[in-house]
Amino acid sequence: MRTGTIGRGFGLATALAALITGISMAPAAAGRAVPAAAPAAFTHPGVLVSRPQLDFVRAKVQAGAQPWKGAYDRMMASAYASLSRTAKPRAVVECGSYSNPNYGCTDEREDAIAAYTLSLAWYITQDGRYAAKAVEIMDAWSAVIQDHTNSNAPLQTGWAGSSWPRAAEIIKYTYGSWPNAGRFATMLRDVYLPKVINGSNSNGNWELSMTEAAIGISVFLEDRTSYDKAVTKFRGRVPAYIYVTADGSLPKVAPGSGLDTRDKIINYWQGQSTFMDGLSQETCRDLTHTGYGLSAISHIAETSRIQGQDLYPEIADRLRHALGLHAKYQLGTAVPSSLCGGSLKDKLGPVTEVGFNALHNRMGIAMTNTQALTEQQRPAGSNNLFVAWETLTHADNPN
Protein backbone atom coordinates (compact mmCIF):
# COMPACT_ATOMS: atom_id res chain seq x y z
CA MET A 1 0.00 0.00 0.00
CA ARG A 2 1.37 3.41 -0.96
CA THR A 3 2.04 6.05 1.68
CA GLY A 4 0.74 8.99 -0.34
CA THR A 5 2.72 12.12 -1.11
CA ILE A 6 5.32 11.53 1.58
CA GLY A 7 7.46 9.42 -0.71
CA ARG A 8 7.86 6.13 -2.46
CA GLY A 9 8.43 2.84 -0.77
CA PHE A 10 8.50 1.36 2.68
CA GLY A 11 12.02 2.48 3.57
CA LEU A 12 11.32 6.20 3.46
CA ALA A 13 8.06 5.84 5.33
CA THR A 14 9.82 3.81 8.00
CA ALA A 15 12.59 6.38 8.31
CA LEU A 16 10.07 9.18 8.67
CA ALA A 17 8.12 7.19 11.24
CA ALA A 18 11.29 6.73 13.26
CA LEU A 19 12.02 10.44 13.01
CA ILE A 20 8.60 11.66 14.06
CA THR A 21 8.23 9.15 16.87
CA GLY A 22 11.55 10.15 18.35
CA ILE A 23 9.99 11.65 21.46
CA SER A 24 8.94 8.26 22.80
CA MET A 25 12.39 6.85 22.23
CA ALA A 26 14.43 9.82 23.47
CA PRO A 27 15.08 8.69 27.07
CA ALA A 28 16.23 5.23 25.98
CA ALA A 29 18.29 6.58 23.08
CA ALA A 30 20.07 8.92 25.42
CA GLY A 31 20.71 6.08 27.84
CA ARG A 32 18.52 7.62 30.53
CA ALA A 33 16.03 5.42 32.31
CA VAL A 34 12.67 7.05 32.93
CA PRO A 35 12.12 6.90 36.70
CA ALA A 36 9.11 5.11 38.11
CA ALA A 37 6.38 7.57 38.89
CA ALA A 38 4.40 5.90 41.65
CA PRO A 39 5.32 7.03 45.15
CA ALA A 40 6.51 4.62 47.79
CA ALA A 41 3.62 5.88 49.92
CA PHE A 42 0.63 7.66 48.39
CA THR A 43 -0.50 11.02 49.78
CA HIS A 44 -4.17 11.29 50.75
CA PRO A 45 -6.27 13.20 49.96
CA GLY A 46 -4.19 13.48 46.83
CA VAL A 47 -6.21 13.67 43.61
CA LEU A 48 -6.09 17.23 42.21
CA VAL A 49 -6.35 18.72 45.71
CA SER A 50 -4.31 18.02 48.85
CA ARG A 51 -5.09 18.64 52.49
CA PRO A 52 -2.80 21.72 52.64
CA GLN A 53 -4.56 23.13 49.58
CA LEU A 54 -7.96 22.47 51.15
CA ASP A 55 -6.85 24.10 54.40
CA PHE A 56 -5.71 27.18 52.45
CA VAL A 57 -9.08 27.41 50.70
CA ARG A 58 -11.05 26.92 53.90
CA ALA A 59 -9.13 29.70 55.65
CA LYS A 60 -9.64 32.09 52.73
CA VAL A 61 -13.39 31.41 52.55
CA GLN A 62 -13.77 31.79 56.31
CA ALA A 63 -11.97 35.13 56.09
CA GLY A 64 -14.27 36.28 53.26
CA ALA A 65 -11.23 36.80 51.02
CA GLN A 66 -11.58 37.09 47.24
CA PRO A 67 -11.65 35.44 44.79
CA TRP A 68 -12.23 32.38 46.99
CA LYS A 69 -15.36 33.57 48.78
CA GLY A 70 -17.05 34.48 45.51
CA ALA A 71 -16.03 31.15 44.03
CA TYR A 72 -17.36 29.32 47.08
CA ASP A 73 -20.66 31.19 46.90
CA ARG A 74 -21.02 30.24 43.25
CA MET A 75 -20.35 26.60 44.06
CA MET A 76 -22.80 26.52 46.95
CA ALA A 77 -25.52 28.13 44.82
CA SER A 78 -25.16 25.42 42.17
CA ALA A 79 -27.35 22.34 41.86
CA TYR A 80 -24.25 20.25 42.50
CA ALA A 81 -24.17 21.37 46.15
CA SER A 82 -27.83 20.58 46.82
CA LEU A 83 -28.54 18.46 49.89
CA SER A 84 -31.75 17.26 48.22
CA ARG A 85 -30.01 15.77 45.17
CA THR A 86 -31.09 12.27 44.22
CA ALA A 87 -28.54 10.14 42.41
CA LYS A 88 -29.56 8.49 39.14
CA PRO A 89 -27.36 5.40 38.81
CA ARG A 90 -27.62 2.90 35.96
CA ALA A 91 -26.25 -0.58 35.52
CA VAL A 92 -25.12 0.27 31.99
CA VAL A 93 -24.30 3.82 30.88
CA GLU A 94 -24.59 4.02 27.10
CA CYS A 95 -23.02 7.01 25.36
CA GLY A 96 -22.75 7.41 21.62
CA SER A 97 -20.86 10.10 19.75
CA TYR A 98 -21.59 13.52 21.26
CA SER A 99 -23.59 11.59 23.91
CA ASN A 100 -26.19 10.44 21.40
CA PRO A 101 -27.68 8.20 22.62
CA ASN A 102 -27.48 9.52 26.15
CA TYR A 103 -28.53 6.77 28.52
CA GLY A 104 -27.15 7.90 31.84
CA CYS A 105 -24.21 9.88 30.43
CA THR A 106 -25.19 13.29 31.78
CA ASP A 107 -26.54 11.77 34.99
CA GLU A 108 -23.29 9.95 35.70
CA ARG A 109 -21.00 12.89 34.96
CA GLU A 110 -23.10 15.29 36.98
CA ASP A 111 -23.51 12.93 39.93
CA ALA A 112 -19.73 12.52 39.98
CA ILE A 113 -19.23 16.30 39.91
CA ALA A 114 -21.87 16.63 42.64
CA ALA A 115 -20.01 14.14 44.85
CA TYR A 116 -16.84 16.20 44.42
CA THR A 117 -18.70 19.47 45.01
CA LEU A 118 -20.29 18.13 48.18
CA SER A 119 -16.93 16.85 49.39
CA LEU A 120 -15.47 20.34 48.98
CA ALA A 121 -18.51 21.81 50.75
CA TRP A 122 -17.98 19.33 53.59
CA TYR A 123 -14.34 20.23 54.04
CA ILE A 124 -14.88 23.98 53.96
CA THR A 125 -17.96 24.02 56.23
CA GLN A 126 -17.22 20.88 58.31
CA ASP A 127 -20.98 20.27 58.08
CA GLY A 128 -21.38 16.51 57.97
CA ARG A 129 -24.58 16.72 55.91
CA TYR A 130 -22.51 17.48 52.83
CA ALA A 131 -20.20 14.53 53.38
CA ALA A 132 -23.18 12.24 53.99
CA LYS A 133 -24.78 13.36 50.72
CA ALA A 134 -21.53 12.75 48.84
CA VAL A 135 -21.38 9.26 50.34
CA GLU A 136 -25.01 8.65 49.37
CA ILE A 137 -24.30 9.51 45.73
CA MET A 138 -21.13 7.43 45.56
CA ASP A 139 -22.85 4.48 47.23
CA ALA A 140 -25.77 4.68 44.83
CA TRP A 141 -23.49 4.29 41.83
CA SER A 142 -21.16 1.68 43.32
CA ALA A 143 -24.19 -0.52 44.09
CA VAL A 144 -25.46 -0.50 40.51
CA ILE A 145 -23.05 0.31 37.68
CA GLN A 146 -21.54 -2.54 35.69
CA ASP A 147 -20.39 -1.13 32.34
CA HIS A 148 -20.07 1.73 29.87
CA THR A 149 -21.02 1.00 26.25
CA ASN A 150 -21.20 2.53 22.75
CA SER A 151 -18.64 4.67 20.94
CA ASN A 152 -18.09 7.32 23.62
CA ALA A 153 -17.67 4.79 26.42
CA PRO A 154 -13.91 5.41 26.90
CA LEU A 155 -14.33 9.18 27.05
CA GLN A 156 -17.40 9.00 29.28
CA THR A 157 -15.54 6.69 31.63
CA GLY A 158 -12.62 9.12 31.63
CA TRP A 159 -14.78 12.13 32.45
CA ALA A 160 -16.75 10.52 35.27
CA GLY A 161 -13.69 8.60 36.40
CA SER A 162 -11.79 11.87 36.83
CA SER A 163 -14.35 13.31 39.26
CA TRP A 164 -15.12 10.23 41.36
CA PRO A 165 -11.67 9.75 42.95
CA ARG A 166 -11.40 13.46 43.81
CA ALA A 167 -14.55 13.11 45.90
CA ALA A 168 -13.62 9.71 47.27
CA GLU A 169 -10.20 10.89 48.44
CA ILE A 170 -11.62 13.81 50.40
CA ILE A 171 -14.40 11.78 52.00
CA LYS A 172 -12.34 8.72 52.89
CA TYR A 173 -9.42 10.63 54.36
CA THR A 174 -11.10 13.64 56.00
CA TYR A 175 -14.60 12.45 56.91
CA GLY A 176 -13.97 8.82 57.65
CA SER A 177 -17.53 7.50 58.01
CA TRP A 178 -17.94 5.52 54.79
CA PRO A 179 -18.76 1.84 55.32
CA ASN A 180 -19.04 1.17 51.58
CA ALA A 181 -15.69 2.71 50.62
CA GLY A 182 -14.42 -0.75 49.69
CA ARG A 183 -17.31 -1.31 47.30
CA PHE A 184 -16.61 2.04 45.67
CA ALA A 185 -12.97 1.02 45.24
CA THR A 186 -14.11 -2.21 43.60
CA MET A 187 -16.30 -0.19 41.22
CA LEU A 188 -13.34 1.96 40.19
CA ARG A 189 -11.09 -1.07 39.79
CA ASP A 190 -13.52 -3.26 37.84
CA VAL A 191 -15.76 -0.86 35.90
CA TYR A 192 -13.65 2.27 35.30
CA LEU A 193 -9.95 1.42 35.27
CA PRO A 194 -10.08 -1.24 32.51
CA LYS A 195 -11.82 1.22 30.16
CA VAL A 196 -9.21 3.96 30.57
CA ILE A 197 -5.85 2.40 31.41
CA ASN A 198 -4.85 1.45 27.86
CA GLY A 199 -5.42 4.90 26.39
CA SER A 200 -6.84 5.85 23.01
CA ASN A 201 -5.69 6.79 19.54
CA SER A 202 -8.67 9.08 19.03
CA ASN A 203 -8.32 12.87 19.41
CA GLY A 204 -5.83 13.69 22.12
CA ASN A 205 -8.33 14.99 24.65
CA TRP A 206 -9.71 11.44 24.85
CA GLU A 207 -6.47 9.86 25.97
CA LEU A 208 -5.63 12.76 28.28
CA SER A 209 -9.01 12.56 30.07
CA MET A 210 -8.73 8.79 30.25
CA THR A 211 -5.22 9.13 31.67
CA GLU A 212 -6.42 11.64 34.24
CA ALA A 213 -9.04 9.14 35.39
CA ALA A 214 -6.48 6.33 35.46
CA ILE A 215 -4.06 8.31 37.62
CA GLY A 216 -6.75 9.48 40.04
CA ILE A 217 -8.17 5.98 40.37
CA SER A 218 -4.68 4.57 40.87
CA VAL A 219 -4.09 6.98 43.76
CA PHE A 220 -7.32 5.96 45.47
CA LEU A 221 -6.59 2.27 44.92
CA GLU A 222 -2.90 2.73 45.77
CA ASP A 223 -2.19 0.82 42.55
CA ARG A 224 1.42 1.57 41.64
CA THR A 225 1.44 -0.48 38.45
CA SER A 226 -1.54 1.34 36.97
CA TYR A 227 -0.16 4.68 38.14
CA ASP A 228 3.13 4.07 36.33
CA LYS A 229 1.34 2.90 33.19
CA ALA A 230 -0.79 6.04 33.19
CA VAL A 231 2.24 8.30 33.59
CA THR A 232 3.88 6.56 30.65
CA LYS A 233 0.77 7.32 28.57
CA PHE A 234 0.95 10.94 29.72
CA ARG A 235 4.59 11.27 28.74
CA GLY A 236 3.85 9.95 25.28
CA ARG A 237 0.68 11.95 24.70
CA VAL A 238 1.54 15.48 25.88
CA PRO A 239 4.33 16.03 23.31
CA ALA A 240 1.90 14.68 20.69
CA TYR A 241 -0.83 17.10 21.77
CA ILE A 242 1.06 20.39 22.09
CA TYR A 243 3.62 21.48 19.52
CA VAL A 244 6.73 23.54 20.23
CA THR A 245 9.20 24.66 17.59
CA ALA A 246 11.93 22.46 19.06
CA ASP A 247 9.93 19.48 17.75
CA GLY A 248 11.00 20.32 14.20
CA SER A 249 8.94 20.56 11.03
CA LEU A 250 6.21 18.20 12.23
CA PRO A 251 4.53 17.55 15.58
CA LYS A 252 5.49 14.52 17.63
CA VAL A 253 3.20 11.52 17.52
CA ALA A 254 2.02 9.35 20.36
CA PRO A 255 3.48 5.83 20.60
CA GLY A 256 1.29 3.38 18.72
CA SER A 257 -0.66 6.06 16.89
CA GLY A 258 0.08 4.76 13.42
CA LEU A 259 0.68 8.31 12.19
CA ASP A 260 3.67 7.44 10.02
CA THR A 261 3.38 9.96 7.17
CA ARG A 262 3.26 13.72 6.90
CA ASP A 263 -0.22 13.59 5.36
CA LYS A 264 -1.57 11.48 8.20
CA ILE A 265 -0.13 13.85 10.80
CA ILE A 266 -1.54 16.96 9.15
CA ASN A 267 -4.93 15.31 8.78
CA TYR A 268 -4.82 14.37 12.48
CA TRP A 269 -4.01 18.00 13.29
CA GLN A 270 -7.27 19.06 11.62
CA GLY A 271 -5.58 19.96 8.34
CA GLN A 272 -3.21 22.49 9.91
CA SER A 273 0.18 22.44 8.18
CA THR A 274 1.79 25.52 9.78
CA PHE A 275 2.96 24.82 13.31
CA MET A 276 3.75 27.30 16.08
CA ASP A 277 4.59 27.22 19.77
CA GLY A 278 1.56 26.12 21.77
CA LEU A 279 -0.58 24.85 18.91
CA SER A 280 -2.62 21.85 20.00
CA GLN A 281 -3.72 18.88 17.97
CA GLU A 282 -7.32 20.12 18.33
CA THR A 283 -6.88 23.90 18.02
CA CYS A 284 -8.35 23.93 14.51
CA ARG A 285 -11.20 21.70 15.63
CA ASP A 286 -12.32 24.12 18.33
CA LEU A 287 -11.07 25.70 21.54
CA THR A 288 -13.52 23.77 23.72
CA HIS A 289 -12.02 20.35 22.96
CA THR A 290 -8.56 21.90 23.18
CA GLY A 291 -9.53 23.12 26.64
CA TYR A 292 -10.45 19.58 27.66
CA GLY A 293 -6.97 18.42 26.74
CA LEU A 294 -5.16 21.28 28.45
CA SER A 295 -7.27 20.84 31.57
CA ALA A 296 -6.52 17.12 31.82
CA ILE A 297 -2.79 17.82 31.35
CA SER A 298 -2.90 20.30 34.22
CA HIS A 299 -4.89 17.95 36.45
CA ILE A 300 -2.52 15.04 35.88
CA ALA A 301 0.52 17.18 36.62
CA GLU A 302 -1.15 18.58 39.74
CA THR A 303 -1.92 15.11 41.09
CA SER A 304 1.61 13.94 40.33
CA ARG A 305 3.04 16.91 42.22
CA ILE A 306 0.92 16.07 45.26
CA GLN A 307 2.15 12.48 45.02
CA GLY A 308 5.78 13.53 45.14
CA GLN A 309 6.91 13.28 41.53
CA ASP A 310 6.32 16.63 39.89
CA LEU A 311 5.57 16.25 36.18
CA TYR A 312 5.17 19.99 35.63
CA PRO A 313 8.84 20.61 34.73
CA GLU A 314 8.57 18.02 31.96
CA ILE A 315 5.59 19.68 30.31
CA ALA A 316 5.86 23.30 31.50
CA ASP A 317 7.18 24.74 28.24
CA ARG A 318 4.45 23.11 26.18
CA LEU A 319 1.67 23.94 28.62
CA ARG A 320 2.65 27.59 29.06
CA HIS A 321 2.80 28.12 25.30
CA ALA A 322 -0.53 26.35 24.78
CA LEU A 323 -2.35 28.30 27.48
CA GLY A 324 -0.83 31.57 26.25
CA LEU A 325 -1.55 31.01 22.56
CA HIS A 326 -5.20 30.11 23.04
CA ALA A 327 -5.78 32.76 25.70
CA LYS A 328 -4.39 35.44 23.39
CA TYR A 329 -6.87 34.68 20.64
CA GLN A 330 -9.79 34.16 23.00
CA LEU A 331 -9.05 37.62 24.39
CA GLY A 332 -9.53 39.09 20.92
CA THR A 333 -6.22 39.17 19.07
CA ALA A 334 -6.82 38.76 15.34
CA VAL A 335 -6.23 35.20 14.17
CA PRO A 336 -3.68 35.05 11.31
CA SER A 337 -4.64 33.25 8.14
CA SER A 338 -1.87 30.75 8.79
CA LEU A 339 -3.71 29.54 11.90
CA CYS A 340 -6.80 27.46 11.14
CA GLY A 341 -7.55 29.57 8.07
CA GLY A 342 -7.86 32.71 10.19
CA SER A 343 -10.77 31.53 12.34
CA LEU A 344 -11.02 29.80 15.70
CA LYS A 345 -14.22 28.36 17.12
CA ASP A 346 -15.65 28.38 20.64
CA LYS A 347 -13.84 29.05 23.94
CA LEU A 348 -11.49 27.15 26.23
CA GLY A 349 -13.91 27.03 29.15
CA PRO A 350 -13.08 27.29 32.88
CA VAL A 351 -9.82 25.37 32.51
CA THR A 352 -6.87 27.70 33.09
CA GLU A 353 -6.65 28.08 36.89
CA VAL A 354 -4.72 24.91 37.74
CA GLY A 355 -2.05 25.27 35.07
CA PHE A 356 -1.73 29.02 35.57
CA ASN A 357 -1.26 28.66 39.32
CA ALA A 358 1.37 25.97 38.89
CA LEU A 359 3.36 27.61 36.13
CA HIS A 360 3.05 31.29 37.05
CA ASN A 361 2.68 31.36 40.82
CA ARG A 362 4.82 28.35 41.76
CA MET A 363 7.34 28.27 38.93
CA GLY A 364 7.55 32.01 38.23
CA ILE A 365 6.78 31.89 34.51
CA ALA A 366 5.41 35.10 33.02
CA MET A 367 1.99 34.38 31.48
CA THR A 368 0.37 37.70 30.64
CA ASN A 369 -2.37 36.43 28.33
CA THR A 370 -3.23 33.44 30.47
CA GLN A 371 -3.39 35.63 33.56
CA ALA A 372 -5.72 38.09 31.83
CA LEU A 373 -8.09 35.34 30.68
CA THR A 374 -7.98 33.53 34.02
CA GLU A 375 -8.84 36.67 35.97
CA GLN A 376 -11.53 37.63 33.44
CA GLN A 377 -13.25 34.27 33.90
CA ARG A 378 -13.25 34.25 37.71
CA PRO A 379 -14.89 32.69 39.54
CA ALA A 380 -14.54 29.66 37.29
CA GLY A 381 -17.48 27.29 37.49
CA SER A 382 -17.95 23.85 35.96
CA ASN A 383 -17.97 22.59 32.38
CA ASN A 384 -20.43 19.91 33.56
CA LEU A 385 -18.10 17.19 32.31
CA PHE A 386 -15.04 16.90 34.57
CA VAL A 387 -13.95 20.46 35.47
CA ALA A 388 -15.36 22.18 38.56
CA TRP A 389 -14.64 25.10 40.91
CA GLU A 390 -10.98 25.65 40.13
CA THR A 391 -10.87 29.31 41.19
CA LEU A 392 -11.93 28.05 44.60
CA THR A 393 -9.41 25.23 44.77
CA HIS A 394 -6.40 26.59 42.90
CA ALA A 395 -6.44 30.37 42.53
CA ASP A 396 -3.14 31.65 44.00
CA ASN A 397 -2.92 28.48 46.08
CA PRO A 398 0.74 28.14 47.16
CA ASN A 399 0.43 24.59 48.53
Side-chain angles (χ1 to χ4, degrees), residues 77-147:
S78 76
Y80 294 122
S82 173
L83 288 170
S84 61
R85 185 180 191 89
T86 300
K88 299 177 180 178
R90 286 177 180 252
V92 177
V93 174
E94 182 181 355
C95 307
S97 182
Y98 292 93
S99 294
N100 181 24
N102 183 340
Y103 299 133
C105 315
T106 301
D107 291 338
E108 180 189 31
R109 294 193 305 262
E110 295 191 351
D111 277 348
I113 291 173
Y116 175 54
T117 301
L118 290 157
S119 72
L120 291 173
W122 141 251
Y123 198 90
I124 293 168
T125 65
Q126 296 293 292
D127 183 337
R129 294 178 301 164
Y130 293 107
K133 177 58 71 170
V135 167
E136 178 187 308
I137 292 170
M138 291 189 286
D139 283 353
W141 279 90
S142 70
V144 171
I145 190 166
Q146 298 173 13
D147 200 8

Side-chain angles (χ1 to χ4, degrees), residues 43 69 74 78 89 120 130 136 141 154 178 284 301 310 315 343 371 379:
T43 297
K69 181 59 164 62
R74 180 174 183 183
S78 76
L120 291 173
Y130 293 107
E136 178 187 308
W141 279 90
W178 189 10
C284 296
D310 193 350
I315 53 93
S343 178
Q371 181 169 356

Side-chain angles (χ1 to χ4, degrees), residues 249-302:
S249 61
L250 287 172
K252 303 292 185 182
V253 300
S257 68
L259 300 174
D260 54 3
T261 71
R262 181 178 186 275
D263 287 351
K264 288 180 182 178
I265 294 170
I266 289 173
N267 182 64
Y268 186 60
W269 282 65
Q270 322 297 325
Q272 178 73 6
S273 58
T274 301
F275 303 100
M276 60 209 71
D277 280 326
L279 184 76
S280 94
Q281 180 254 318
E282 296 184 274
T283 300
C284 296
R285 180 185 185 186
D286 59 65
L287 296 193
T288 301
H289 286 88
T290 298
Y292 299 164
L294 301 185
S295 180
I297 290 169
S298 301
H299 293 167
I300 293 164
E302 191 74 2

Side-chain angles (χ1 to χ4, degrees), residues 142-295:
S142 70
V144 171
I145 190 166
Q146 298 173 13
D147 200 8
H148 298 85
T149 64
N150 214 318
S151 58
N152 259 28
L155 182 60
Q156 171 73 19
T157 310
W159 281 340
S162 293
S163 297
W164 286 132
R166 297 177 206 159
E169 282 280 300
I170 294 171
I171 295 301
K172 181 175 180 179
Y173 292 100
T174 74
Y175 180 61
S177 179
W178 189 10
N180 290 315
R183 189 177 74 194
F184 190 82
T186 298
M187 176 193 82
L188 293 180
R189 181 182 295 108
D190 294 350
V191 179
Y192 288 81
L193 190 58
K195 277 283 197 297
V196 297
I197 191 61
N198 292 316
S200 166
N201 286 322
S202 185
N203 283 303
N205 82 86
W206 277 53
E207 182 158 271
L208 289 163
S209 288
M210 292 164 69
T211 301
E212 179 185 349
I215 283 182
I217 290 168
S218 297
V219 170
F220 187 71
L221 299 178
E222 297 196 331
D223 183 337
R224 291 172 178 80
T225 300
S226 293
Y227 189 99
D228 282 344
K229 185 171 183 177
V231 169
T232 298
K233 287 287 182 187
F234 177 79
R235 284 175 160 146
R237 175 57 65 176
V238 175
Y241 194 70
I242 301 171
Y243 175 85
V244 290
T245 54
D247 293 339
S249 61
L250 287 172
K252 303 292 185 182
V253 300
S257 68
L259 300 174
D260 54 3
T261 71
R262 181 178 186 275
D263 287 351
K264 288 180 182 178
I265 294 170
I266 289 173
N267 182 64
Y268 186 60
W269 282 65
Q270 322 297 325
Q272 178 73 6
S273 58
T274 301
F275 303 100
M276 60 209 71
D277 280 326
L279 184 76
S280 94
Q281 180 254 318
E282 296 184 274
T283 300
C284 296
R285 180 185 185 186
D286 59 65
L287 296 193
T288 301
H289 286 88
T290 298
Y292 299 164
L294 301 185
S295 180

